[in-house]
Amino acid sequence: MVLLVRAAGMLPVLLLLCLGFHFLSDGRFFSGQNLGIVLQQAAVNTVLAAGMTFVILTGGIDLSVGSILAASAMAGLAISTIPDLAAFWLLVSVLTGLGFGVINGALIALLRLPPFIVTLGSLTAVRGFARLLGTDTTIFNPSIPYAFIGNGSLTLIPGVVSIPWLSVIALLVILVSWLVLRRTVLGVHIYAVGGNESAARLAGIKVWAVLIFVYGVSGLLAGLGGAMQAARLYAANGLQLGQSYELDAITAVILGGTSFVGGIGSIWGTLVGALIIAVLSNGLILIGVSDIWQYVIKGLVIIGAVALDRYRLQGSART
Amino acid sequence: MVTPHAAGQPVLELKGIGKEFGAIRALHGVDLCIFPGEVVGLMGDNGAGKSTLVKIIAGNFPPSHGEIRFDGQAVHFARPIDARAVGIEVVYQDLALADNLTAAANVFLGRELKRKFGPLAFLDHKAMAARALELFGELRSETRPHDLVKQMSGGQRQAVAIARTRLSNAKLVMMDEPTAAISVRQVEQVLGLIHRLKEQGVAVMLISHRMPDVFAVCDRVVVMRRGEKRADKEIGDTSPEEVTSLITGAKEAA
Ligand SMILES: Nc1ncnc2c1ncn2[C@@H]1O[C@H](COP(=O)(O)OP(=O)(O)OP(=O)(O)O)[C@@H](O)[C@H]1O
Ligand SMILES: [Mg+2]
């Protein structure tokens, strides 16, 4: 029973929010079209938050994902405008993200600098790169290849059920992350490093390699997020794209029950966390709450939800 | 009692081991031999240098002076994994377990069992849980492989840490205070395990403050004081009283 509660985590909160918004909006929340919008809006944040989960599980943090997302989108779009190379833009986006992530990881793992400081630095530096890539303008490409991943849907039952490709990608990312975290040696080592770094080291785990890996994954997924945004918007602006996305990603991870100290948490929790954020945004708009109050309410719900979670965990630990 | 010295070559030989941490002299001129199948008790007051000696043998840090020979070969360990590779296993005082993982995951940490699916290798949770259960059974510990270490008693944690050393075919197992924080019944179990290691020809170095444990399982007792070896005696040639006075310094050396 305790295990069930723990595994379910914030799922009840998500369901309550959905039901609440459904009634308050006179039944407009649970329409096929609206759910599609929610899923699509959750997609990019889910991808970023998945990467953030790897990082936070080791007890770290990655503040640079929003900037990396912007730089990757810019790099991809720039390539997509070169006729001979256009087809490679997706790959270039993702690899750009991976590159920045690995640099973060190397600084943290090899120079032993604090993750907060390193990624705070790259938050700024990589943002500069993103602007540089478009010579500080917006890059457009109305005929960007693979645009369907940003706007198309995967039809499951023709005319009845279809899922936005963005959401399909997000779901695949979650599945692969789960596989890595729960089913591979690397996954156990990530949890071990977060739980007790010196024990991990004594057990012969190459802690530096684990750290480079998690920041690499976070960068790679930020790159993928950049590609998703570029395909969706046919455009990117190095200054504006991805601003403060890192905060939404961190929020999703924390809402999902992953401990800031490291070593505890699950990727499914992160998915639920990302969905809560998307449902909140969507629901508050549906019921006509003003933009200003949306901020206030979102913030309070986040604090309240995490407080509730802590309270419940303490309760179950005592019994 | 058969003296293991008859077995010939020592498994571990220390010559003039010294260690300084800045201005602190933690160890000075320590010579020590341990033979296969021998249980040596390492005793000494807090800060005597016992843990430091164990950490040097285990490759956590190099000695400032002296030489380590293992199986007759001079060895230089850069990292703990080097020491492990030749057959030295340690159960640390603070146990060095990852609290957030299960008992089985801790037993196999760093040497996980895998199953191949084409080019991919996934954890074999089932096999690891089964083997861990077997090891806990041998230790007569009621530790369940799927339990999180965080929720375990001191004795169960000890069983997990000791089970780790059983996975490899270690030639030397060093235990830093394995019986410090566990119940009487569990102490018996740990001592039982030490006996079983001995039967299999494994050399055991037992660091303990508990005189009865040392006299129950050890063939020989080594006393450290202020970083130096003050005594090295067959257990039959000494008494708890003498060892106590050596530890406290009432008796300088024997
Ligand atoms: N990493 C370190 N840096 C500086 N000094 C150290 C370090 N490790 C140990 N020392 C010092 O070396 C001396 C020996 O310590 P050690 O931990 O080996 O003692 P011990 O015999 O294991 O004691 P205890 O019974 O308390 O475990 C102590 O004075 C200790 O303060
Ligand atoms: Mg000690």
Side-chain angles (χ1 to χ4, degrees):
Chain A
M1 183 59 207
V2 171
L3 272 177
L4 199 70
V5 170
R6 201 163 288 170
M10 299 297 264
L11 201 54
V13 173
L14 176 62
L15 295 178
L16 276 178
L17 278 175
C18 290
L19 286 174
F21 283 130
H22 191 63
F23 287 116
L24 290 173
S25 65
D26 302 318
R28 279 179 295 151
F29 184 83
F30 281 116
S31 71
Q33 196 198 1
N34 190 55
L35 287 180
I37 291 171
V38 172
L39 284 180
Q40 196 167 29
Q41 281 175 346
V44 170
N45 188 35
T46 303
V47 170
L48 293 184
M52 191 69 72
T53 305
F54 280 81
V55 169
I56 293 183
L57 277 176
T58 64
I61 189 87
D62 189 349
L63 300 174
S64 65
V65 291
S67 298
I68 293 182
L69 177 141
S72 306
M74 293 300 282
L77 270 162
I79 293 292
S80 78
T81 56
I82 305 171
D84 288 342
L85 299 176
F88 294 107
W89 80 267
L90 243 173
L91 191 67
V92 167
S93 270
V94 173
L95 290 182
T96 304
L98 176 65
F100 284 122
V102 168
I103 293 173
N104 276 340
L107 289 172
I108 291 161
L110 304 180
L111 298 186
R112 294 174 185 264
L113 300 173
F116 190 92
I117 308 295
V118 168
T119 59
L120 186 64
S122 39
L123 165 86
T124 310
V126 177
R127 175 65 62 189
F129 261 111
R131 293 175 64 175
L132 211 63
L133 279 167
T135 54
D136 213 11
T137 58
T138 301
I139 306 183
F140 284 103
N141 183 358
S143 56
I144 190 168
Y146 318 117
F148 71 93
I149 67 165
N151 299 284
S153 287
L154 173 67
T155 306
L156 292 180
I157 306 169
V160 188
V161 185
S162 64
I163 305 177
W165 272 109
L166 285 179
S167 312
V168 174
I169 294 172
L171 218 68
L172 284 176
V173 166
I174 293 288
L175 277 173
V176 172
S177 301
W178 171 78
L179 208 63
V180 171
L181 287 173
R182 288 295 180 192
R183 291 282 176 261
T184 69
V185 171
L186 196 55
V188 193
H189 290 184
I190 288 170
Y191 277 89
V193 167
N196 187 343
E197 194 179 315
S198 55
R201 199 164 275 129
L202 282 174
I205 294 173
K206 295 191 185 79
V207 174
W208 60 268
V210 171
L211 291 178
I212 292 181
F213 176 80
V214 296
Y215 289 93
V217 165
S218 184
L220 177 123
L221 291 179
L224 179 61
M228 291 159 78
Q229 288 283 39
R232 178 160 168 67
L233 304 170
Y234 301 94
N237 179 297
L239 180 58
Q240 289 154 7
L241 189 68
Q243 283 282 2
S244 77
Y245 277 21
E246 60 280 352
L247 297 182
D248 273 352
I250 294 168
T251 306
V253 176
I254 298 304
L255 273 177
T258 294
S259 159
F260 240 137
V261 197
I264 297 166
S266 78
I267 197 74
W268 298 111
T270 297
L271 175 62
V272 171
L275 287 174
I276 287 178
I277 295 172
V279 165
L280 262 182
S281 304
N282 173 271
L284 290 174
I285 294 169
L286 272 189
I287 62 175
V289 173
S290 82
D291 186 47
I292 299 166
W293 280 100
Q294 283 180 33
Y295 272 90
V296 177
I297 294 172
K298 267 199 229 173
L300 291 179
V301 168
I302 289 163
I303 295 172
V306 173
L308 189 79
D309 196 46
R310 289 290 137 83
Y311 181 75
R312 203 180 42 195
L313 279 184
Q314 274 173 11
S316 60
R318 253 184 256 121
T319 50
Chain B
M1 181 184 281
V2 189
T3 52
H5 297 218
Q9 180 179 302
V11 59
L12 177 78
E13 197 176 354
L14 304 180
K15 283 183 189 158
I17 296 292
K19 179 74 188 175
E20 281 108 40
F21 295 106
I24 302 170
R25 195 170 77 175
L27 287 175
H28 178 71
V30 176
D31 298 322
L32 183 62
C33 281
I34 302 183
F35 294 83
E38 190 183 27
V39 183
V40 174
L42 187 60
M43 303 197 77
D45 215 343
N46 296 110
K50 307 180 296 291
S51 297
T52 306
L53 189 62
V54 166
K55 284 179 178 164
I56 286 174
I57 299 169
N60 288 50
F61 38 64
S64 314
H65 316 279
E67 190 189 33
I68 306 173
R69 299 179 78 81
F70 196 79
D71 265 349
Q73 305 276 324
V75 286
H76 302 274
F77 304 134
R79 289 163 303 153
I81 199 164
D82 300 340
R84 230 210 235 163
V86 302
I88 298 176
E89 289 281 338
V90 190
V91 177
Y92 287 96
Q93 195 166 17
D94 49 14
L95 293 185
L97 299 176
D99 269 4
N100 58 327
L101 299 181
T102 62
N106 267 285
V107 169
F108 283 90
L109 195 60
R111 344 170 228 217
E112 291 81 2
L113 301 181
K114 287 162 275 187
R115 279 170 64 187
K116 294 250 173 203
F117 290 90
L120 303 172
F122 291 109
L123 291 170
D124 195 343
H125 286 296
K126 238 188 196 160
M128 287 192 284
R131 181 82 182 102
L133 190 66
E134 233 173 75
L135 290 171
F136 296 143
E138 285 175 28
L139 304 184
R140 284 189 227 111
S141 166
E142 278 140 32
T143 308
R144 289 181 297 267
H146 291 293
D147 281 2
L148 290 180
V149 166
K150 194 180 349 199
Q151 304 156 347
M152 292 183 177
S153 71
Q156 287 177 320
R157 288 159 162 269
Q158 198 68 53
V160 173
I162 293 173
R164 275 185 64 78
T165 73
R166 300 278 275 158
L167 257 195
S168 59
N169 284 323
K171 291 179 182 161
L172 171 66
V173 172
M174 298 186 286
M175 300 184 180
D176 199 343
E177 295 285 359
T179 54
I182 59 181
S183 71
V184 176
R185 198 172 75 91
Q186 286 165 332
V187 168
E188 301 263 292
Q189 287 169 17
V190 173
L191 298 185
L193 169 75
I194 294 174
H195 270 302
R196 253 159 280 153
L197 289 175
K198 178 182 163 63
E199 280 161 19
Q200 290 166 19
V202 178
V204 179
M205 194 154 117
L206 172 67
I207 298 181
S208 181
H209 282 109
R210 289 170 49 102
M211 203 65 71
D213 297 352
V214 170
F215 276 79
V217 291
C218 293
D219 301 309
R220 192 147 57 91
V221 58
V222 168
V223 180
M224 305 275 304
R225 183 164 167 77
R226 300 207 175 130
E228 290 174 16
K229 188 170 95 169
R230 294 294 170 89
D232 187 340
K233 300 189 99 172
E234 295 294 320
I235 213 85
D237 299 339
T238 185
S239 63
E241 292 73 24
E242 187 186 30
V243 172
T244 306
S245 59
L246 284 163
I247 291 172
T248 58
K251 187 169 175 183
E252 266 302 313

